[in-house]
Every structure is written in structure tokens, then in C-alpha cells.
Amino acid sequence: MTLDLYYARRFFQWFAVICGVLMTLVILIDLNEQIRRFDAFDVSASQIVGLTLLNAPAALSEFLPLIMILTTIVLFVGLARSSELVVTRAAGRSGIRALAAPVLVAGLLGLLAVSTLNPIVAATTNLSKSLADTYRTGGPSALSLSGEGLWLRQGSANGQSVIHASSYGGGRDDIVLYDVTILAYAPGGGPIRQIIAETARLDGDEWLLHKAKAWHMTAGLNPERSAATHDTLRIPTSLTQDRIRDRLGSADGISVYDLPTTIRDLAEAGFATKRYQVWYQVELARPLFLIAMVLVGAAFTMRHTRFGGTGLAVLTAVLLGFGLYFIRNFAQILGENGQIPVALAAWAPPVASILLTMGLLLHAEDG
């Protein structure tokens, strides 16, 4: 038990060190990117730093597999150089048994990533996007899918607009909304205009509405008398196709606790939910994938340094870790496109990775 606690403490210490170093680099790189992105806007240094810090949890979540494999490599290379692994084996404990503590710590960190880090990432991602839109256009933009349809919010110096559509479609290069209702608000907050239309197509920096009817909401004025119908009507927008497509089907801003309800509501409304289902299962399988990263790092570094080739072993472990990470993402894409079942896309890569690395470990230990 004492030896297990020692290994667990060493593993967690190296995890904290590598996490701190890597996140410092990521924050500095993102800070430079935010400065470049908002160079043409009137954004203060504190606001840019705030956006950078809000992006940090999402970066940590994305880099967790890399941090895990680097932590394992540093730990076991250090133990091999100090001959602590030799002493452990001489005391009658196998190398695989020595992995119990690091694997347990990795599993606990994976559970924390799912239960705690994921909701934090969802909240900070949404806030970051809202603030970025406010700095660019003077008002926040938002997009959400629910059982009631698609909701969009766009902002500008002239006020806010809320857009509701019962469904959406279009090809790769266009966005089309159906059964559209637009409610425009003045900068002070009161509604000033309502528009309904059969369809709305994003055309550059404007919405092109077809068969639209508009009401002006002015105090003391009968809206119906001032209503006007249009075969086509254009209204400006701060939204772009790339920004809408990035958010359509993206689960980054949805907590893992809210995903089941979101999936159910979207299914009832007739929207595709495959992407959300795969994302949910991938998040649940994250602890297993982090454990697989630990086993990958250990499979190539739990050897005495007198055998040589430590640099090659480290490089092989890192490359194999990247390969497994690529396979997991590829399987996720196949699952989102319906090419393979959701459960297979989410759970097969981590389970296969664990089985592969366990085979390598057993071969190294028992020949």
C-alpha cells in the first residue's frame, strides 16, 4: 500500500507539472491569437486576457490524453533511471502490478474530467463565444436547438434580433431556415419589429427572406394597419455561415448532464441527434481512453535504461498515442455520419487500445 501511494503521488506530481507547463504554452499561444483576431476592434487588454482564460478549460480538456501519456513516460523513465523499478521487481512485485496506482489515478482524473471539467468547459465556451460576439458586433450572438426548433440571436449596434425557425436545411455552401419568425429589439430593449417568412437564406451579410410579412411595433400605432408583405426581403445580419455551422451540431457548449435531455428534445422535434449521441458516449468513455494512454506510455518505458534505446522507446510511445487519438477521432466521425453504430464509435477505440497495450505489457513482462 505504501508503494502504491508513492507511485500515485509521483504520478500526480508529474501530471500537475506537465499540465502547468503545457497550459502555460497554450495560453500564451492563444493570447497571441486573440490579439491578432481583435486587432481591428476596440478591445482592451483585460478583455483579451479574459477571453484567453475562458478558453483554457477547453484546451485542457482537449490536451488531457497528451498530458496523460507524457506524465506516464516521464514517471517511468525516471523510475527506471533511479533503479526503483528494479527494486520493485526484486521485492516480488511485477511491473504490471506497479501500474495499478497510476492507472487508478488516471481513471479518477478521467472521472473528474467528465463530471466536473466538462460542465466548466461548456459554461466557459458559451461565455467566451458570447463575449467575442459582443466585442465584434456590439451585441452577443447565440444559437441553440431545442424541441421548439432552432433559435438564433444576433446583435449589432442597432439592437438585438431573435430568430426562430421550425427547421433548417441547405447544402455545404448555404443555410436555409424554414417557418421563420424574427423579432427585432431596439438598443434600449423594447421590440420594434416582427417579421414572419416561409424561408430565410443566408446571403453574405444579409438574410434573404421569401414571402415575408413585417409588422412595426410603434407605440400608439396599429401594427396590422402598418404591416407590409414582401416577396423578398433583406435584413442585415452579423452571423456568418461558418459561425452557424460551427455551432449547429456542436456539443462543446452543452454539459454532459444536459446532453440526454437535449438529445431527447431534438429527437422529438425531428432534428438529427447522431452527433450528440456520439459525443455523449465519447465523454462517458473518456476515463477508459485516459487509462489507455497510461498503458501506452508504460508499455515502452517500463524497462531499465541499461538496455539503451530510451529515446526511441519514448518516441514510439508518443507516436502510438497520437495514432490511437487519431483512430478515436476517426471512429467518432464515422459514428456521427452513421457509418458505424454509436456505441462502437465511442467505446471500441479505448477498449481496443487497452487490450493492445496490455498485450505489449504482458509480452514484456513474461515473454
Side-chain angles (χ1 to χ4, degrees), residues 27 35 137 215 221 243 283 285 335 342:
I27 288 174
I35 293 174
T137 63
W215 293 266
L221 181 66
R243 288 165 67 186
E283 284 297 302
V342 172

Side-chain angles (χ1 to χ4, degrees), residues 119-359:
I120 293 175
V121 169
T124 55
T125 298
N126 289 332
L127 182 56
S128 175
K129 290 179 179 178
S130 177
L131 290 176
D133 289 337
T134 301
Y135 298 155
R136 287 193 189 97
T137 63
S141 301
L143 183 151
S144 66
L145 287 169
S146 67
E148 300 175 352
L150 172 67
W151 294 89
L152 290 163
R153 184 177 64 188
Q154 62 184 31
S156 68
N158 297 323
Q160 299 283 316
S161 296
V162 176
I163 304 173
H164 174 261
S166 61
S167 60
Y168 69 93
R172 179 185 294 267
D173 299 325
D174 61 350
I175 299 283
V176 181
L177 308 181
Y178 301 98
D179 296 329
V180 181
T181 301
I182 302 175
L183 189 60
Y185 293 85
I192 57 174
R193 190 184 189 192
Q194 181 178 358
I195 303 172
I196 61 171
E198 288 189 2
T199 63
R201 183 184 301 273
L202 193 60
D203 183 18
D205 58 354
E206 294 179 319
W207 285 108
L208 178 59
L209 309 179
H210 293 275
K211 296 185 177 179
K213 184 176 181 179
W215 293 266
H216 291 279
M217 299 181 180
T218 305
L221 181 66
N222 188 332
E224 189 62 35
R225 289 184 177 179
S226 62
T229 58
H230 308 268
D231 290 333
T232 61
L233 178 65
R234 292 180 177 270
I235 61 173
T237 179
S238 59
L239 299 170
T240 64
Q241 293 193 26
D242 290 338
R243 288 165 67 186
I244 293 177
R245 291 202 176 277
D246 285 344
R247 298 191 182 189
L248 281 175
S250 173
D252 293 345
I254 305 176
S255 167
V256 69
Y257 299 108
D258 297 330
L259 271 174
T261 303
T262 301
I263 292 171
R264 184 178 64 252
D265 292 343
L266 293 180
E268 291 175 354
F271 289 102
T273 61
K274 189 74 69 176
R275 183 185 299 269
Y276 294 93
Q277 294 177 32
V278 173
W279 180 268
Y280 181 59
Q281 294 297 325
V282 166
E283 284 297 302
L284 294 182
R286 173 173 288 202
L288 282 183
F289 190 72
L290 295 182
I291 290 174
M293 293 296 100
V294 171
L295 296 177
V296 167
F300 293 93
T301 55
M302 289 186 67
R303 52 201 298 275
H304 203 280
T305 54
R306 71 171 183 269
F307 296 124
T310 301
L312 181 60
V314 170
L315 178 62
T316 304
V318 173
L319 291 179
L320 181 58
F322 276 112
L324 295 177
Y325 183 79
F326 170 79
I327 291 173
R328 188 194 70 160
N329 289 346
F330 183 66
Q332 182 176 342
I333 293 173
L334 292 179
E336 292 172 354
N337 293 331
Q339 302 297 316
I340 59 177
V342 172
L344 184 64
W347 294 93
V351 171
S353 301
I354 290 175
L355 295 177
L356 171 64
T357 50
M358 284 301 297

